[in-house]
Amino acid sequence: MSQWSSSQYGGNGNFATSQSPMGATPSTGAKAGYADDCLLPVTVKMINEAETTSDGSSKMINGRKVSFVKIMGLLRGIEEKAAFKSYKVEDSTGVIDVRVWQSDEEEAPQNVREGSYVKVVGKCAVFKRPR
């Protein structure tokens, strides 16, 4: 029996096609790969300990490629480079380097300061570490 059964929550636990919050679904004509592009709330430790794909460009959690992530944490450092701004974000599980590329359509946040809490939503990618 499903944890979302009608006896537990008073409904049938399913979305009708017209009620789908995701728009197109596989049965209604979703694009191939659509299910792979989802937002995943993660901790820094989860990303740092995640496996890297065979081509070395992405991370995998629970056997699935990680596309977009959401992290909440304390901003520990800001460094500006020619091509990007680098932000060191720490949650209680570790520290991660977040980059905002200058070529992105959106501008890098201007009003953030070290020591403030931030929410980061973005694409998860693997970069070569400096030696």
Side-chain angles (χ1 to χ4, degrees):
M1 179 159 98
S2 168
Q3 67 178 2
W4 310 110
S5 67
S6 60
S7 63
Q8 188 174 6
Y9 291 102
N12 66 3
N14 297 320
F15 286 105
T17 306
S18 64
Q19 295 175 328
S20 175
M22 302 303 286
T25 62
S27 63
T28 62
K31 296 178 184 174
Y34 178 77
D36 294 334
D37 290 337
C38 63
L39 178 65
L40 184 65
V42 295
T43 64
V44 171
K45 182 177 181 177
M46 289 171 69
I47 293 176
N48 287 340
E49 292 182 356
E51 299 175 40
T52 303
T53 56
S54 59
D55 65 2
S57 65
S58 301
K59 293 285 192 167
M60 293 185 66
I61 295 177
N62 294 330
R64 293 190 62 184
K65 183 178 170 185
V66 177
S67 305
F68 298 95
V69 297
K70 179 167 107 175
I71 300 170
M72 305 285 288
L74 186 62
L75 185 58
R76 290 292 187 186
I78 302 172
E79 185 178 354
E80 193 159 353
K81 302 273 185 164
F84 60 88
K85 269 192 176 179
S86 178
Y87 299 88
K88 296 281 186 200
V89 178
E90 176 188 3
D91 65 3
S92 61
T93 66
V95 178
I96 194 164
D97 185 34
V98 175
R99 294 182 180 179
V100 177
W101 298 93
Q102 300 296 339
S103 62
D104 286 349
E105 293 175 8
E106 295 182 26
E107 284 188 25
Q110 301 297 321
N111 58 347
V112 294
R113 296 183 322 266
E114 290 184 34
S116 61
Y117 283 90
V118 294
K119 173 175 64 173
V120 178
V121 177
K123 184 174 180 177
C124 183
V126 177
F127 296 94
K128 293 182 180 178
R129 295 186 181 256
R131 295 177 187 200

